[in-house]
Amino acid sequence: MARARKSTSANPAAGGFKKLLLAAALLIAIIFAVQGGEYGTRDLMKQKTRRAKLLATNDSLQHIVDTLKRYKRRLETDAALQERIAREEFGLVRGNKEMLYRFADPAALPDSSPGKR
């Protein structure tokens, strides 16, 4: 009896499916390598943007601190600045040569109508 020869490529679609499955698995592995994990590419880009914003904010705040330090130093040493602040903020006058007048708004005064006396 003659034996029927069994072909190794009896189902050619099975080989194409295996290649497609292998390519899909490889593609998924590459995508996970780039995007997956605790710090994926997107997370690293967000962190880089956030770091740039924080550095800009830090520089701005450092500028404000430096300005305030210079102002404090001037306030401690500059007599003209001290006098100007004393006059503007506290209404101080210089000796007997000056007189301070304050004009009050009548609406701000306590009620002094003639009927309540």
Side-chain angles (χ1 to χ4, degrees):
M1 273 185 75
R3 283 184 138 178
R5 208 168 175 198
K6 194 172 187 181
S7 172
T8 56
S9 61
N11 192 355
F17 181 71
K18 285 182 181 180
K19 287 181 183 180
L20 183 64
L21 191 60
L22 182 62
L26 184 63
L27 181 66
I28 290 172
I30 290 172
I31 290 173
F32 181 76
V34 172
Q35 292 295 333
E38 186 174 352
Y39 295 109
T41 305
R42 185 182 307 159
D43 291 329
L44 291 175
M45 293 177 78
K46 284 181 185 178
Q47 287 179 3
K48 185 178 180 180
T49 303
R50 184 168 182 254
R51 182 177 188 270
K53 287 180 184 177
L54 289 173
L55 287 175
T57 303
N58 190 28
D59 289 343
S60 175
L61 291 174
Q62 187 62 46
H63 176 70
I64 292 170
V65 167
D66 292 341
T67 302
L68 290 173
K69 283 182 180 179
R70 283 193 303 272
Y71 183 71
K72 178 187 173 203
R73 196 173 313 116
R74 276 189 60 213
L75 190 58
E76 291 172 344
T77 59
D78 188 1
L81 179 63
Q82 293 170 358
E83 182 178 345
R84 182 178 61 84
I85 291 173
R87 289 172 177 272
E88 291 175 1
E89 296 292 324
F90 304 113
L92 298 179
V93 294
R94 185 181 292 172
N96 294 332
K97 299 177 185 178
E98 296 178 359
M99 188 175 287
L100 179 66
Y101 291 97
R102 291 193 182 208
F103 297 98
D105 184 18
L109 294 175
D111 192 18
S112 59
S113 62
K116 289 199 172 191
R117 285 185 182 188

